Amino acid sequence: MVSLNIWLRRLLMLLIGVVITEFGSQLLVALRVGADPFMILIQGISRQSGLSYGQTSTALMLLCFAAIFLLERNSIRPGTVFCIFCLGPLVDFYAWLFSLILPHDRSLPITVLLIVLACVIVSLGLSISVTSHAGACSNDLIPVIAHEKLAGMQIRTARMLWDGVCIIAGYCPGGTLGIGTVIALTLYGPELQFFLPVAKWLSSLLGLPAKQ
């Protein structure tokens, strides 16, 4: 039985991961060069349904949550539910922030550098969220479960496949696909794998056991 103190520290680590992830994700959206894979899915469905990005995000994460509940409910943690309802305010805040500080007239090298930086930030945040074992966002758990259940599939491969599915499913109904998307698809998986030791270090710093 995990103590309340451990759970609170796990949720703190998850919150750190989500805050970092959404910073990078919304930076990529603000650059207007193509959204990250899950955001493309959100955009596509939002444009067809008339729902806001926040409403669409919540609906999609609820759908992923339902799938995980049916197929691998042991992966569900309190943090998984927390993520479903906390991302909307973060998305709105970062959209407001980047509208104020991000210059509109940027050179191509600066834009490419910011795209890569956004991908690095997202991957770092995802690795922290996953390693917290508090229950990552339901959409981010899909590739993790695939990695754990399918023998021989590395987490970077599972992540890249999941991102590819989101891109195809989101682009068809109108999601924005651009060079930023291609870079994100290429970098998310390998960088997620790369940052796992950093996430484990943070977990150790917070005094969390390796497993629940």
Side-chain angles (χ1 to χ4, degrees):
M1 185 79 176
V2 180
S3 70
L4 178 60
N5 182 266
I6 292 294
W7 266 116
L8 290 175
R9 280 182 279 169
R10 288 196 188 281
L11 288 172
L12 172 61
M13 184 172 176
L14 174 62
L15 178 60
I16 293 170
V18 169
V19 168
I20 293 173
T21 299
E22 286 308 307
F23 182 93
S25 177
Q26 295 311 308
L27 172 58
L28 192 59
V29 171
L31 291 171
R32 301 177 184 272
V33 290
D36 68 73
F38 191 65
M39 192 65 197
I40 289 179
L41 181 59
I42 291 172
Q43 287 177 332
I45 295 176
S46 174
R47 288 168 182 172
Q48 292 298 318
S49 66
L51 297 173
S52 70
Y53 284 172
Q55 291 170 328
T56 305
S57 174
T58 300
L60 285 173
M61 285 194 289
L62 282 170
L63 185 61
C64 291
F65 180 88
I68 294 169
F69 182 82
L70 291 174
L71 299 174
E72 187 59 32
R73 65 187 64 183
N74 289 336
S75 297
I76 296 174
R77 300 290 185 272
T80 307
V81 179
F82 167 78
C83 285
I84 293 174
F85 300 104
C86 80
L87 293 187
L90 275 176
V91 169
D92 291 340
F93 170 74
Y94 285 136
W96 169 80
L97 178 65
F98 290 130
S99 70
L100 293 179
I101 67 174
L102 197 63
H104 294 288
D105 298 323
R106 302 181 301 270
S107 65
L108 180 59
I110 293 297
T111 299
V112 172
L113 179 62
L114 288 173
I115 293 171
V116 173
L117 177 62
C119 293
V120 169
I121 293 172
V122 169
S123 298
L124 173 61
L126 288 175
S127 68
I128 292 173
S129 296
V130 170
T131 307
S132 73
H133 297 294
C137 297
S138 53
N139 60 294
D140 292 326
L141 278 176
I142 300 293
V144 175
I145 292 172
H147 157 67
E148 293 174 348
K149 294 297 181 181
L150 300 177
M153 177 174 285
Q154 292 187 322
I155 191 169
R156 61 185 176 188
T157 304
R159 182 75 207 189
M160 291 174 75
L161 288 172
W162 173 241
D163 286 345
V165 169
C166 290
I167 289 172
I168 294 171
Y171 176 72
C172 291
T176 302
L177 177 65
I179 184 62
T181 307
V182 177
I183 295 176
L185 181 60
T186 304
L187 295 182
Y188 274 7
E191 286 178 349
L192 173 58
Q193 187 104 7
F194 175 80
F195 282 120
L196 282 177
V198 178
K200 290 177 181 177
W201 170 82
L202 178 59
S203 177
S204 176
L205 188 67
L206 291 172
L208 294 173
K211 293 183 179 180
Q212 248 177 287

